[in-house]
Amino acid sequence: MTKEKVLIIGASGQIGVELTLALRHIYGNSNVIATDIRETPHPLLTESGPYKQLDALNGADITACIKNEGITQVHLLAALLSATGEKMPMKAWDINMTSLLQLLDIAVQQKLSKVYWPSSIAVFGNTTPVDNTPQATVIEPKTVYGISKYAGELWCQYYYNRYGLDVRSLRYPGLISWKTPPGGGTTDYAVDIFHQAIQTGTYTSFLSENTFLPMMYMDDAIRGTIELMEAPASCLSTRMAYNIGALSFSPKQLAEAIAKKMPNFSINYAPDFRQQIADSWPNSIDDSLARVDWKWQPKFDLDAMTEDMLHNIKNLAPVAH
Ligand code: AKB
């Protein structure tokens, strides 16, 4: 195996912390450099390996870091998500697109072996088939976040076709995790609900009770990301992002799963602007291409995920801010 040295940009976010820890486990702590624009990084990043403050929009600093550290592989995770993006569309476009375009160019110049960049179910819009949404289908995203993800997928494909850059991507569904909070997404309710269940025994959902969305437990998402990155290039039949599925549930069904473990838990509903975003996304995803090409298989069902979330959040020490 070639010795990889990995740079993670945007490592302090919901995916970044867990992906950094998993990659450090594979490649060795000192071979995975976590970076983020935040001055105060997540303690799990600094406790387990090197951390640098780095702005995803600063191409000169990224190039210097790649050269100085002998980086072979970059994971670009910095982004503004769907709900925050609607509050500041131009900023979301700039952060999501400029960081990617700049990195694709740097990756070609510096001859990186691989690049990872996440896409999302947000690429799909109201005109897409909602159930078992196919890999290749009508794609007319409604949010600026979705537009940036779809444009980004096309750019990744362009760089692969034109320059042979090995850039890989997944269309993540809503991700549920307990180590690091999500920030600014439409699927965030599915994380908030667990914290509120434990703290107060009740939750007010910003999505209506029967809003079905594709979702996934973080353990599956991290394993899927690593499996995609380690798959032989010859197995990958698309250079757009892969559909990747695991769960599909509504707020009502998630509340029922929590109530199986916490019988006094109650939920009510006060949909806000995020409802319209959720209504433009699929209910469930057809990920058969990922299952065939690189043998994707999720492990956590709704009950297993709920049990693991409740167990871990109950054991969380209060975090000092
Ligand atoms: C969001 O809700 O914006 C994200 C996503 C589905 O990409 N979690």
Side-chain angles (χ1 to χ4, degrees):
M1 191 162 93
T2 35
K3 198 168 173 316
E4 294 285 352
K5 190 134 189 211
V6 184
L7 171 64
I8 313 221
I9 301 172
S12 260
Q14 191 196 11
I15 303 169
V17 170
E18 302 211 27
L19 189 58
T20 302
L21 296 178
L23 291 172
R24 282 182 175 162
H25 188 70
I26 297 172
Y27 296 118
N29 289 351
S30 59
N31 291 321
V32 180
I33 303 191
T35 70
D36 200 282
I37 197 167
R38 293 174 221 202
E39 261 170 47
T40 319
H42 195 292
L44 288 172
L45 297 177
T46 43
E47 280 160 13
S48 60
Y51 178 85
K52 286 181 198 297
Q53 198 180 0
L54 189 70
D55 179 352
L57 298 181
N58 190 331
D61 279 1
I62 292 169
T63 305
C65 181
I66 289 172
K67 283 185 177 165
N68 296 341
E69 302 289 345
I71 297 295
T72 59
Q73 190 180 124
V74 177
H75 294 237
L76 171 60
L77 306 175
L80 289 195
L81 300 188
S82 56
T84 311
E86 291 313 288
K87 292 184 184 150
M88 29 188 155
M90 284 308 141
K91 188 165 179 195
W93 179 256
D94 190 33
I95 291 179
N96 297 359
M97 281 326 307
T98 308
S99 62
L100 175 65
L101 291 178
Q102 196 167 252
L103 178 65
L104 292 173
D105 239 23
I106 294 170
V108 172
Q109 282 161 26
Q110 300 303 319
K111 302 187 171 47
L112 293 184
S113 69
K114 277 180 204 163
V115 172
Y116 180 72
W117 176 80
S119 184
S120 161
I121 54 154
V123 296
F124 301 119
N126 299 83
T127 48
T128 300
V130 286
D131 293 314
N132 262 331
T133 301
Q135 171 74 35
T137 183
V138 180
I139 296 191
E140 293 182 326
K142 189 178 168 122
T143 60
V144 68
Y145 172 64
I147 299 171
S148 71
K149 288 297 176 189
Y150 188 42
E153 285 191 20
L154 290 165
W155 275 110
C156 289
Q157 181 176 249
Y158 180 85
Y159 268 74
Y160 173 74
N161 288 334
R162 174 127 193 215
Y163 303 108
L165 180 67
D166 192 352
V167 47
R168 305 181 181 196
S169 183
L170 294 173
R171 289 177 184 150
Y172 288 129
L175 298 180
I176 298 158
S177 68
W178 55 272
K179 285 194 185 127
T180 316
T186 302
T187 57
D188 292 9
Y189 91 85
V191 175
D192 301 342
I193 193 172
F194 286 100
H195 291 275
Q196 289 304 316
I198 287 165
Q199 282 163 25
T200 67
T202 183
Y203 181 64
T204 301
S205 171
F206 58 75
L207 297 184
S208 65
E209 60 184 325
N210 292 321
T211 308
F212 281 80
L213 286 171
M215 298 279 188
M216 183 179 288
Y217 199 38
M218 187 60 89
D219 297 43
D220 275 339
I222 298 298
R223 190 172 46 78
T225 308
I226 291 170
E227 285 173 5
L228 171 71
M229 290 304 277
E230 292 194 339
S234 57
C235 294
L236 307 182
S237 63
T238 180
R239 287 293 172 157
M240 298 291 280
Y242 276 91
N243 277 8
I244 178 170
L247 310 170
S248 164
F249 58 76
S250 62
K252 182 164 178 249
Q253 288 180 332
L254 180 55
E256 283 164 2
I258 293 173
K260 281 192 212 162
K261 300 279 166 197
M262 301 179 65
N264 292 329
F265 175 66
S266 67
I267 185 164
N268 47 69
Y269 303 93
D272 66 14
F273 74 100
R274 289 167 280 194
Q275 183 65 45
Q276 270 198 359
I277 301 176
D279 288 343
S280 75
W281 289 352
N283 296 338
S284 59
I285 289 291
D286 173 0
D287 60 2
S288 47
L289 197 66
R291 289 178 191 242
V292 170
D293 282 4
W294 45 278
K295 313 290 170 249
W296 163 243
Q297 192 68 57
K299 290 197 175 144
F300 281 81
D301 64 16
L302 179 55
D303 286 333
M305 182 272 287
T306 302
E307 189 169 339
D308 212 58
M309 282 293 282
L310 290 173
H311 171 78
N312 283 303
I313 293 173
K314 276 181 195 152
N315 291 337
L316 271 183
V319 180
H321 288 286

